[in-house]
Amino acid sequence: RTAPYLAPAPAAPPTPAPPRCVRAAQCAVCKGRRAAAPTAMSFHWPPLESNPEIFSDYMHTVGLPAQWAFGEVFGFDEDLLAFLPQPVIAVVANVERLKKQEEKARGDPALPVQFYMKQTGNLDNACGVIACVHAVYNNLAAMGGLPEQSVLGKHLAATSAMTPEERAAALDSNTDFQAVHVSKAAEGDSAQPSEQSDVRHHFVAFVLVDGKLVELDGTKAGPLLVAESCDDVLRGTIEVIKQRLEAGEYSDRLSLMTLNANPDGM
């Protein structure tokens, strides 16, 4: 006796793909998805505008004491420098490097400074915050220290015994810094670049270490001694910038900011 024929059950219909929003650029839901806080694994560091208000707000949010802020250098003439609040304890330069490979080969990993970190590939456009970290952490005595429970204070405690490369990894995974960074990168008048090749400028810091002028740039081989004797970080940095302009190392599209006393925070 043959078994009765049973027709196979119809295949389940494929699960339809979620409808694609045809108004993604304007849709509030889509905007919310794009603006969601990125995870440490997926985060890319957007560039910051060279703007002292943005830098001051950023650093105050992460723990820079209110008595200190960033100021803008409007020119190299003495009458313009006289407008800057005193004291100036560090300079952050935003420059377009014309000889990048030569620049990156400079520096001495053995040169003693209070804090130095590398800028690895993951920290693609984090040079602005790295320059700030270098400026702040190498002037702790002048500033009277940092609040221990601030982002800056906790990050310093966690990384003080690390190598420059380990410090880079620690910053890259610091979600407290990430949250502040992405909000401040959205401020200012400059449009965010659509391609990495559109990012042409780079932030570096200049500080005084035991009466010497030192450049701190995470893309270099290490801290760079630029003047054996210096007692004025601002004017010393300006001389270095002038020399590099004359040597064709920098384009004339640059800006300088100072880490200085904050008259509004006294």
Side-chain angles (χ1 to χ4, degrees), residues 151-201:
V151 176
L152 280 170
K154 291 189 289 186
H155 185 71
L156 177 63
T159 60
S160 59
M162 292 182 178
T163 66
E165 291 77 14
E166 290 170 338
R167 290 169 178 169
L171 178 62
D172 187 37
S173 63
N174 190 315
T175 54
D176 291 331
F177 265 113
Q178 290 178 7
V180 179
H181 190 95
V182 74
S183 68
K184 296 306 173 185
E187 297 180 7
D189 299 324
S190 302
Q192 283 293 322
S194 57
E195 300 290 342
Q196 182 61 32
S197 59
D198 295 332
V199 180
R200 298 182 178 180
H201 284 70

Side-chain angles (χ1 to χ4, degrees), residues 20-151:
R20 182 178 181 273
C21 177
V22 297
R23 298 185 301 112
Q26 294 83 26
C27 175
V29 174
C30 292
K31 282 185 178 180
R33 289 172 182 160
R34 291 197 302 271
T39 64
M41 293 298 292
S42 66
F43 189 75
H44 295 283
W45 297 79
L48 298 172
E49 180 176 280
S50 183
N51 181 319
E53 292 184 4
I54 293 175
F55 274 62
S56 293
D57 288 345
Y58 189 142
M59 286 296 106
H60 288 151
T61 301
V62 295
L64 178 68
Q67 295 88 345
W68 300 92
F70 285 88
E72 187 168 4
V73 178
F74 291 103
F76 295 168
D77 294 337
E78 282 297 325
D79 55 344
L80 295 174
L81 299 181
F83 284 104
L84 289 165
Q86 298 296 318
V88 172
I89 58 175
V91 175
V92 171
N94 184 32
V95 299
E96 183 180 16
R97 299 172 294 178
L98 303 179
K99 300 178 180 180
K100 286 185 181 180
Q101 296 309 312
E102 294 179 19
E103 283 270 317
K104 292 179 178 181
R106 296 174 177 172
D108 180 3
L111 185 68
V113 295
Q114 291 176 301
F115 186 95
Y116 176 74
M117 65 171 288
K118 298 291 287 183
Q119 181 179 347
T120 57
N122 287 344
L123 294 167
D124 41 11
N125 295 314
C127 54
V129 64
I130 291 173
C132 289
V133 164
H134 281 148
V136 171
Y137 285 172
N138 283 279
N139 280 290
L140 295 175
M143 293 190 303
L146 297 168
E148 290 184 2
Q149 295 307 309
S150 67
V151 176

